[in-house]
Amino acid sequence: MAPIRVGIVGLSSKPGAWATLAHLPRLASSPNYQIVALCNSSLESTKAAIKAHNLPPTTRAYDTYEALAADPDVDLYVVSTRADTHYDVAMPALKAGRNVFVEWPLAANTEQAKEMAALAREKKAKTIIGLQGRMAPSVKKVKELIDTGAIGEIHSVNYQGAIHVWQNNAASDRYRYFMDRKIGGNLLTIYGGHVLDSILYAVGELKPGSYTPMAVNLRPKMHVMKSDGSLSEELYDKNTPDQILVQGRLDRHPSAVFSFHLRAGDRFIGCPGSTWRIYGTKGELAVEFASAGPQMAKAISMRFSNAEKGVVEDIVVDEGGDEWTQLPSQGQNIGRLYEAYAEGQPYGDFDLAVKRHELIDEFWASLAL
């Protein structure tokens, strides 16, 4: 099969930029893909990216989304830009009937997300949403243990994580935009959306009418940390949450209870960034991650307290070998998402994205109370 030809919006020449770490590594090495075009804000920056990443000289450079969307050799149009630009960047490709990959969140708000999903259905375009946590081997292993009955009948699921931001009541200059809801990218949408999707993929969806979401903004004014590490004297308004909670039941039989809490601020020193516990009639599974969620990297530990045998068992997860583990952590699960698309395996699309946007809206409603 011929490689899938990719055009990317947002791959800059900067070595530490997100697309460089998350999208480029697997796309550049996979036999299933070929990068044929890039688009940035100017032709100069696009050409600089082509050169910086040693892409073939035949790689086409564009400075408008419409031009990239019109390229007949682009099979998959990839959007790796800030959340508030996703709609404007993706719509030309959707109108042209291109298959499109957009990072999570799909758009700055649910209305835009619904319009994008509807247009994709109308054009019969294949879509990918960057909810890559469900591709993580650790998450898939949890799902396998649940689905095969290894844990028994599930009675409770608990998740607690600390997002390592807002220390010293300050936002880094790079992520200052997380303070502004209208941009669409913040702790609730990005971290909350990623982590919740990973969990619900493994354990089942929330039971309608049975749960209470809560988003709380306890830091309504914050300093900004400058590039030199100093803090601004001024305090800036923040209208996004730093505490994200939900409690309720899962839509499974029996209807297990569910408790979820993500928070900002310092992590407990020397402890994992997040802990996921699943209690069943055969014992309890405990999974720990270095970060606030499973979307970025493998679990640092997975243990099963086997009630029947009276022992704690270490669960081994197959990460796929060096082919995957030598990629940057940001690019491992995104790379697996690309391969799922190429191989016709299950993955999340824009319709799933709309469903997750609608769930996030329930948290926003609680923030207004």
Side-chain angles (χ1 to χ4, degrees):
M1 189 179 77
I4 296 167
R5 299 168 297 182
V6 179
I8 307 174
V9 181
L11 177 62
S12 77
S13 58
K14 298 177 182 177
W18 173 254
T20 303
L21 297 172
H23 292 267
L24 180 64
R26 186 63 188 180
L27 287 176
S29 63
S30 173
N32 292 324
Y33 288 92
Q34 178 187 1
I35 300 172
V36 298
L38 300 184
C39 178
N40 287 322
S41 58
S42 68
L43 279 177
E44 291 73 19
S45 63
T46 307
K47 290 176 180 177
I50 292 171
K51 181 178 179 181
H53 301 304
N54 297 312
L55 296 177
T58 54
T59 307
R60 291 179 290 285
Y62 295 107
D63 60 356
T64 69
Y65 315 136
E66 290 77 10
L68 178 61
D71 189 328
D73 293 330
V74 171
D75 302 316
L76 180 64
Y77 181 105
V78 174
V79 179
S80 180
T81 58
R82 207 171 73 170
D84 54 333
T85 68
H86 287 180
Y87 177 88
D88 290 337
V89 177
M91 284 299 282
L94 293 170
K95 290 175 181 177
R98 299 283 175 221
N99 297 335
V100 181
F101 180 126
V102 178
E103 292 183 338
W104 173 261
L106 178 55
N109 54 62
T110 304
E111 182 180 0
Q112 289 181 343
K114 286 182 176 180
E115 184 179 346
M116 294 163 72
L119 181 56
R121 289 194 298 273
E122 177 188 328
K123 296 291 185 177
K124 296 181 170 56
K126 293 180 179 179
T127 60
I128 311 170
I129 184 62
L131 286 168
Q132 69 270 12
R134 56 178 51 213
M135 296 290 110
S138 300
V139 174
K140 286 184 173 291
K141 187 65 176 181
V142 171
K143 180 174 174 59
E144 175 193 320
L145 292 170
I146 292 172
D147 292 349
T148 59
I151 305 174
E153 197 174 78
I154 304 303
H155 285 189
S156 66
V157 177
N158 299 277
Y159 193 97
Q160 187 169 29
I163 308 166
H164 206 49
V165 295
W166 303 162
Q167 296 94 331
N168 301 314
N169 197 43
S172 67
D173 194 47
R174 181 178 181 182
Y175 293 112
R176 179 175 175 177
Y177 70 89
F178 278 13
M179 298 166 65
D180 187 354
R181 175 180 173 176
K182 72 175 182 292
I183 290 176
N186 51 69
L187 303 192
L188 171 59
T189 58
I190 295 177
Y191 288 90
H194 272 298
V195 180
L196 281 167
D197 182 70
S198 301
I199 296 170
L200 299 181
Y201 165 76
V203 306
E205 297 292 323
L206 290 163
K207 185 176 182 179
S210 76
Y211 60 91
T212 302
M214 182 185 298
V216 181
N217 179 16
L218 294 175
R219 302 173 187 263
K221 291 185 179 292
M222 293 178 59
H223 298 282
V224 171
M225 181 182 293
K226 303 173 187 176
S227 57
D228 63 2
S230 64
L231 301 183
S232 66
E233 293 184 7
E234 304 92 340
L235 286 167
Y236 296 90
D237 291 334
K238 177 170 76 68
N239 59 5
T240 60
D242 38 65
Q243 299 283 337
I244 304 160
L245 305 94
V246 62
Q247 193 164 41
R249 307 289 290 271
L250 294 171
D251 196 7
R252 56 182 301 123
H253 184 75
S255 185
V257 298
F258 180 65
S259 177
F260 174 87
H261 181 199
L262 279 181
R263 65 163 178 82
D266 294 281
R267 291 186 184 138
F268 194 101
I269 297 170
C271 288
S274 54
T275 302
W276 184 6
R277 288 182 175 269
I278 301 167
Y279 171 72
T281 52
K282 293 183 180 180
E284 185 170 23
L285 183 69
V287 189
E288 296 178 335
F289 298 92
S291 61
Q295 68 274 12
M296 288 288 284
K298 66 179 182 179
I300 56 177
S301 74
M302 185 178 298
R303 296 175 298 158
F304 179 54
S305 177
N306 191 321
E308 295 177 333
K309 296 181 179 179
V311 296
V312 175
E313 302 168 347
D314 288 320
I315 305 297
V316 177
V317 179
D318 182 5
E319 295 289 328
D322 291 348
E323 174 186 4
W324 292 103
T325 58
Q326 289 185 358
L327 294 175
S329 59
Q330 298 90 332
Q332 292 177 19
N333 292 330
I334 288 181
R336 293 182 176 103
L337 179 52
Y338 277 117
E339 295 303 335
Y341 171 78
E343 296 167 7
Q345 299 299 317
Y347 59 88
D349 60 10
F350 285 9
D351 289 331
L352 172 67
V354 169
K355 184 176 182 177
R356 296 299 181 235
H357 271 279
E358 290 174 335
L359 175 59
I360 294 297
D361 282 348
E362 297 182 50
F363 286 88
W364 284 124
S366 77
L367 186 66
L369 296 177

